[in-house]
């Protein structure tokens, strides 16, 4: 209501992310996509920040130069942390597909367990140099696709094509929303333990790329995503100060050129590895 009133009903406001997909934790934030029906106003991020300040919101931070501009703030009445993204339409379609995965209740619970563990171990914040909550969701779905019998389908095969343009690039955001009847009978505890075992001992991050649109890993050579630069330990110890690339490659299901591990810093990569090993030890 605040945004619509300020911009004279020239906006569309939609939720995306875990609050829409069904994979949300109680501690999760609210992701909002703001799109303008006509021309986007000049200095729109400053105007949104000022409006939120006038409405009594807390901890307002504007990130206008991000690939998708964002304003972050906290609502003092609900205590909810909110991210407003500008024209982030691809995320809307992405959330629709993830919601279709959440049709399977055990998969929904399993993903929430993985996200809760990552949150408790403080390895689920992209701005801190670890993996995002979204990336952990994709890791969990990939594992659920690969166990036998699978708990999750591949929803990007046998689907009706739906090409859309986003930031000047065409993407196919179609997916199969058919009901999936799994034959998997594993308990949630068994699913979680096998998840830890896979990524701690059986996943080769130097040669494998997480890809839920493929239903199984792609090769880093095929993606041309071979790890470049120093190893995390070399950076942490000061032996090398270069920049890492593709340290834990995770492919976005619609934007196939986007590696979600590009935000991971050396300390974050080591923390994630250590937490996996800590579980299985």
């Amino acid at each position: 209501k605040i945004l619509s009133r300020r911009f004279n009903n020239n906006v569309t406001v939609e939720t995306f992310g875990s609050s829409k997909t069904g994979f949300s934790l109680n501690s999760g934030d609210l992701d909002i996509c703001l799109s303008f029906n006509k021309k986007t106003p000049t200095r729109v991020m400053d105007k949104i920040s000022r409006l939120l300040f006038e409405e009594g919101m807390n901890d307002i931070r504007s990130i206008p130069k991000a690939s998708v501009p964002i304003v972050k703030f906290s609502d003092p009445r609900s205590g909810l942390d909110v991210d407003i993204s500008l024209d982030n339409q691809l995320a809307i379609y992405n959330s629709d597909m993830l919601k279709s995965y959440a049709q399977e209740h055990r998969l929904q619970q399993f993903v929430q367990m993985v996200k809760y563990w990552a949150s408790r171990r403080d390895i689920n914040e992209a701005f801190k140099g670890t993996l995002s909550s979204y990336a952990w969701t994709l890791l969990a779905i990939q594992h659920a696709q690969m166990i036998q019998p699978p708990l999750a389908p591949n929803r990007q095969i046998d689907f009706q094509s739906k090409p859309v343009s986003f930031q000047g690039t065409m993407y196919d955001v179609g997916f199969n929303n058919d009901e999936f009847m799994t034959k998997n009978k594993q308990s949630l505890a068994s699913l979680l333990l096998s998840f830890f075992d896979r990524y701690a001992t059986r996943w080769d991050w130097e040669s494998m790329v997480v890809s839920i649109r493929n239903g199984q890993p792609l090769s880093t050579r095929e993606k041309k995503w071979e790890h470049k630069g120093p190893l995390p330990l070399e950076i942490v110890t000061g032996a090398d100060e270069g920049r890492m690339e593709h340290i834990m490659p995770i492919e976005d299901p619609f934007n196939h050129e986007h590696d979600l591990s590009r935000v991971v810093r050396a300390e974050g990569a080591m923390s994630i590895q250590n937490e996996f090993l800590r579980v299985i030890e």
Side-chain angles (χ1 to χ4, degrees):
K1 289 180 180 179
I2 292 170
L3 293 167
S4 181
R5 184 172 66 245
R6 172 62 179 81
F7 295 106
N8 300 317
N9 297 314
N10 180 32
V11 295
T12 299
V13 180
E14 301 173 89
T15 59
F16 68 94
S18 58
S19 62
K20 183 175 183 179
T21 62
F23 292 130
S24 177
L25 302 175
N26 289 336
S27 58
D29 58 9
L30 177 65
D31 295 302
I32 294 175
C33 174
L34 175 66
S35 303
F36 286 88
N37 304 325
K38 300 176 183 178
K39 184 179 179 181
T40 301
T42 58
R43 301 186 64 82
V44 64
M45 304 302 285
D46 290 339
K47 292 177 181 177
I48 293 172
S49 297
R50 187 164 57 252
L51 174 63
L52 294 171
F53 177 78
E54 293 170 355
E55 294 290 336
M57 301 303 170
N58 295 333
D59 304 322
I60 302 168
R61 289 179 294 150
S62 177
I63 311 175
K65 295 184 179 180
S67 56
V68 176
I70 296 175
V71 176
K72 294 175 171 286
F73 68 94
S74 177
D75 174 21
R77 287 156 290 195
S78 65
L80 193 65
D81 292 326
V82 184
D83 290 356
I84 298 180
S85 301
L86 186 63
D87 293 326
N88 194 8
Q89 291 298 317
L90 200 59
I92 300 293
Y93 295 112
N94 204 307
S95 297
D96 288 339
M97 184 179 70
L98 291 185
K99 184 178 180 180
S100 72
Y101 277 106
Q103 293 178 37
E104 167 54 55
H105 186 56
R106 253 185 322 137
L107 176 62
Q108 180 187 34
Q109 291 179 307
F110 167 60
V111 172
Q112 290 172 324
M113 290 171 69
V114 169
K115 290 176 59 176
Y116 180 75
W117 167 79
S119 174
R120 296 292 293 176
R121 302 314 303 167
D122 199 26
I123 52 174
N124 71 327
E125 298 283 4
F127 72 91
K128 291 183 179 179
T130 60
L131 291 173
S132 65
S133 177
Y134 171 52
W136 284 109
T137 298
L138 298 187
L139 279 169
I141 292 175
Q142 179 87 102
H143 174 67
Q145 290 174 325
M146 294 178 67
I147 56 178
Q148 294 299 323
L151 179 63
N154 180 353
R155 295 202 171 275
Q156 289 175 274
I157 56 173
D158 301 326
F159 66 94
Q160 184 174 353
S161 182
K162 186 178 181 179
V164 299
S165 177
F166 178 67
Q167 295 184 342
T169 302
M170 293 298 298
Y171 301 94
D172 193 339
V173 297
F175 62 90
N176 185 335
N177 196 33
D178 293 344
E179 183 179 4
F180 176 71
M181 302 296 292
T182 181
K183 296 181 180 179
N184 186 287
K185 303 297 182 183
Q186 286 180 257
S187 67
L188 287 171
S190 175
L191 289 168
L192 192 61
L193 288 174
S194 61
F195 169 85
F196 291 132
D197 178 65
R198 178 181 303 280
Y199 291 114
T201 65
R202 294 187 286 130
W203 194 272
D204 183 0
W205 291 106
E206 291 189 4
S207 66
M208 301 166 75
V209 178
V210 172
S211 175
I212 71 167
R213 60 106 179 178
N214 193 51
Q216 57 185 346
L218 296 169
S219 73
T220 54
R221 180 174 296 181
E222 177 183 355
K223 289 287 296 182
K224 297 182 180 179
W225 280 7
E226 291 97 340
H227 170 65
K228 298 177 182 178
L231 295 173
L233 182 61
E234 294 174 323
I235 295 178
V236 171
T237 59
D240 198 312
E241 297 181 355
R243 183 178 180 275
M244 302 183 307
E245 291 186 23
H246 306 304
I247 189 63
M248 302 181 70
I250 303 170
E251 179 193 66
D252 184 272
F254 290 145
N255 182 358
H256 306 158
E257 300 305 312
H258 180 199
D259 177 6
L260 293 168
S261 77
R262 68 181 184 179
V263 299
V264 176
R265 297 194 291 265
E267 296 85 352
M270 291 191 65
S271 294
I272 293 168
Q273 181 183 31
N274 289 338
E275 291 300 335
F276 274 130
L277 295 175
R278 180 176 175 271
V279 172
I280 65 172
E281 290 175 355

